[in-house]
């Protein structure tokens, strides 16, 4: 019995020593001048999440931030002194994010980004190449919205878009087509991320969520009078869907010039919602 108490005492002493050593090391680290410099640097350079907001129609996502990882940065500088080039960062995530809100419609980008996104809804494909060429001459990238049939019939064209960092988005009314669409995109470019866009199918949110995709729904969808509609409704964070047509081809350059004149950047969906 005495031996049992003896061993318990030894183990307790070892645990206490380990705890004390750890706490002492943590105290010394926090009191270290290098750690203080790292913390001062963090106070000046941390960019916290800019949270979004929810409405009855859907969600406007937050913008995740980057903050200094003080412990990892300290480990990098231990024994060498403070060096800002050795600073390491970690993400400051938002509650309202692509990952957390697949069950909600995304209705816009965060206004603090000072950006909008233009999505061209492919109707018959006759004008789409000219429309993209006009945008490229203005040094912007559109996002392309198509169904599975168009994707399958235009794989080489889609492949060119994907490898130029365009976003190709899905519209449709069948879950089996969505699954084939996702598989086809991955076969072209395994890193491609897509989004669903609500056009008229009320089931799209559920089956896109089940396939781990976010769904966009916007009131900024125009099939005519493109320029006047954009002028009347434009605000930061807009997701604007423009139906493909000859009229869009004729008006797109002016639309782009107008948005730029308002000091607003035009980005792809992935950039807007990142």
């Amino acid at each position: 019995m005495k031996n049992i108490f003896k061993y318990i005492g030894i183990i307790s002493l070892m645990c206490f020593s380990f705890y004390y050593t750890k706490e002492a090391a943590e105290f010394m680290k926090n009191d270290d001048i290098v750690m203080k410099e790292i913390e001062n640097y963090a106070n000046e350079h941390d960019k916290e999440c800019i949270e979004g907001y929810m409405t009855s129609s859907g969600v406007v996502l937050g913008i995740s931030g980057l903050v200094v990882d003080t412990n990892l940065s300290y480990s990098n500088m231990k024994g060498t002194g403070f060096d800002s080039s050795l600073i390491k960062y970690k993400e400051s995530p938002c509650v309202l994010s692509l990952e957390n809100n697949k069950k909600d419609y995304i209705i816009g980008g965060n206004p603090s980004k000072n950006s909008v996104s233009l999505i061209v809804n492919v109707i018959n494909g006759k004008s789409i190449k000219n429309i993209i060429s006009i945008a490229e001459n203005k040094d912007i990238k559109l996002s392309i919205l198509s169904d599975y049939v168009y994707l399958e019939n235009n794989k080489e064209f889609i492949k060119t878009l994907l490898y130029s960092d365009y976003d190709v988005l899905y519209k449709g009314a069948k879950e089996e087509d969505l699954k084939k669409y996702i598989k086809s995109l991955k076969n072209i470019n395994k890193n491609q991320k897509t989004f669903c866009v609500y056009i008229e199918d009320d089931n799209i949110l559920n089956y896109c969520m089940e396939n781990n995709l976010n769904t966009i729904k916007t009131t900024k969808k125009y099939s005519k009078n493109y320029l006047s509609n954009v002028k009347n409704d434009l605000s930061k964070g807009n997701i604007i869907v423009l139906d493909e047509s000859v009229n869009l081809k004729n008006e797109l350059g002016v639309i782009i010039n107008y948005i730029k004149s308002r000091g607003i950047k035009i980005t792809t969906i992935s950039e807007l919602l990142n």
Side-chain angles (χ1 to χ4, degrees):
M1 182 66 70
K2 289 183 179 180
N3 285 337
I4 293 175
F5 286 117
K6 178 181 177 181
Y7 290 136
I8 291 174
I10 291 172
I11 292 170
S12 299
L13 181 61
M14 289 174 64
C15 290
F16 176 78
S17 298
F18 175 78
Y19 173 79
Y20 178 81
T21 302
K22 183 180 177 182
E23 290 298 305
E26 190 69 23
F27 175 81
M28 290 177 66
K29 182 178 70 173
N30 292 336
D31 196 47
D32 191 296
I33 189 168
V34 174
M35 177 57 80
K36 288 183 177 179
E37 290 190 61
I38 292 171
E39 291 172 346
N40 289 337
Y41 185 93
N43 290 335
E44 295 177 4
H45 294 87
D46 277 357
K47 293 183 179 179
E48 300 287 350
C49 150
I50 301 173
E51 193 57 86
Y53 56 89
M54 297 195 74
T55 73
S56 58
S57 302
V59 61
V60 172
L61 300 177
I63 301 175
S64 61
L66 281 177
V67 297
V68 172
D69 186 326
T70 54
N71 288 327
L72 186 55
S73 298
Y74 181 82
S75 294
N76 285 348
M77 299 177 201
K78 195 172 182 180
T80 63
F82 179 81
D83 182 348
S84 61
S85 68
L86 298 177
I87 289 287
K88 295 296 180 182
Y89 291 87
K90 59 185 177 182
E91 185 181 9
S92 170
C94 296
V95 174
L96 299 178
S97 66
L98 290 175
E99 189 59 37
N100 294 339
N101 293 91
K102 289 188 171 68
K103 69 182 188 329
D104 303 299
Y105 286 116
I106 299 171
I107 59 172
N110 199 295
S112 64
K113 266 200 168 180
N114 193 36
S115 300
V116 299
S117 190
L118 299 180
I119 301 173
V120 179
N121 178 27
V122 176
I123 304 299
N124 55 35
K126 293 180 179 179
S127 301
I128 191 66
K129 291 183 181 179
N130 287 331
I131 287 170
I132 288 174
S133 179
I134 290 166
E136 287 181 339
N137 288 335
K138 297 286 185 181
D139 198 29
I140 73 156
K141 284 190 170 113
L142 306 169
S143 296
I144 307 302
L145 176 61
S146 74
D147 58 19
Y148 176 66
V149 174
Y150 181 81
L151 172 63
E152 281 299 288
N153 292 335
N154 295 272
K155 279 191 174 180
E156 285 305 311
F157 175 56
I158 298 296
K159 183 176 181 179
T160 301
L161 293 178
L162 293 182
Y163 279 94
S164 298
D165 294 326
Y166 280 81
D167 285 331
V168 179
L169 317 178
Y170 175 78
K171 63 174 180 179
K174 296 180 180 179
E175 185 171 10
E176 55 266 34
D177 279 355
L178 170 62
K179 291 179 178 178
K180 290 187 288 187
Y181 192 95
I182 296 169
K183 183 178 179 180
S184 187
L185 283 181
K186 295 299 182 184
N187 287 337
I188 297 172
N189 184 344
K190 66 180 181 180
N191 296 318
Q192 174 65 17
K193 176 179 174 57
T194 194
F195 295 86
C196 297
V197 178
Y198 173 90
I199 297 296
E200 56 187 17
D201 178 17
D202 290 331
N203 293 317
I204 194 168
L205 178 64
N206 286 332
Y207 62 69
C208 287
M209 177 180 63
E210 289 169 2
N211 286 277
N212 202 34
L213 298 179
N214 294 95
T215 305
I216 294 162
K217 186 177 183 180
T218 176
T219 59
K220 319 298 183 189
K221 183 182 180 303
Y222 313 123
S223 57
K224 59 182 179 180
N225 302 324
Y226 303 103
L227 179 59
S228 60
N229 279 314
V230 170
K231 281 186 173 181
N232 289 337
D233 293 341
L234 184 66
S235 59
K236 297 172 183 178
N238 279 173
I239 298 173
I240 303 168
V241 177
L242 306 169
D243 285 350
E244 173 207 4
S245 70
V246 173
N247 287 338
L248 175 60
K249 181 179 70 173
N250 295 334
E251 294 185 44
L252 182 60
V254 184
I255 291 171
I256 292 170
N257 288 342
Y258 175 74
I259 294 173
K260 286 183 174 181
S261 74
R262 292 279 301 274
I264 299 174
K265 184 180 178 183
I266 300 171
T267 70
T268 62
I269 282 291
S270 291
E271 290 179 88
L272 184 69
L273 302 180
N274 184 20

